[in-house]
Amino acid sequence: EDEIKEAAERVMRTNKKIKVVVLQTEPLQGELKQAKTMKVVAGSERRMGKDGSLLTTHQEYGIKTQVDLNLAFFTPRMAGERLRLCNLVSRGEWVL
C-alpha cells in the first residue's frame, strides 16, 4: 500500500495538473463496464461526491468533459471517438 501511495504522489509531482490519483480496486462490472470501487490514494478527496461519485474533468483536443469515473467506461484508446462525438455538439450544448 505504501508503494502505491508513493507512486501516486510521484505522478502528481511530475504532472502538476493532476489533483487526485485513484485506484480501481475491483474489475469493471456489468454490461456498461462500470468501476464501482475506486479508492483515492493520493491528493484531495474533494472530487468525491456526496453520493460516492468520483467526478473528474478530462481535457483533450481543447474540449473539457466532466466524467463520473464510477459510472463511465473511460479509456484513452477512445479519444478519436470522443472527438467525433464532440464535433457533433454545438458550443453550449450539454450531452447527458
Side-chain angles (χ1 to χ4, degrees):
E1 181 119 347
D2 288 339
E3 291 177 17
I4 292 171
K5 184 170 180 61
E6 187 177 308
E9 289 171 350
R10 194 168 39 249
V11 166
M12 291 178 62
R13 282 192 306 270
T14 303
N15 187 333
K16 300 295 184 190
K17 292 183 179 182
I18 296 175
K19 305 296 183 206
V20 65
V21 177
V22 297
L23 177 66
Q24 180 181 321
T25 58
E26 293 180 11
L28 299 175
Q29 301 172 5
E31 184 179 332
L32 298 177
K33 304 290 187 206
Q34 294 177 328
K36 296 285 187 185
T37 53
M38 298 277 217
K39 177 182 174 186
V40 175
V41 292
S44 170
E45 292 199 33
R46 67 178 172 75
R47 305 295 279 172
M48 298 292 287
K50 291 179 183 175
D51 59 354
S53 59
L54 181 58
L55 301 176
T56 190
T57 301
H58 176 74
Q59 182 173 342
E60 61 190 3
Y61 302 114
I63 299 166
K64 289 184 180 180
T65 307
Q66 190 170 36
V67 180
D68 181 342
L69 296 176
N70 287 322
L71 298 178
F73 176 71
F74 188 88
T75 175
R77 292 183 179 188
M78 294 189 69
E81 178 64 6
R82 287 190 294 275
L83 177 61
R84 184 187 75 77
L85 291 173
C86 287
N87 285 331
L88 298 174
V89 178
S90 297
R91 182 175 295 277
E93 283 185 306
W94 287 75
V95 177
L96 305 176

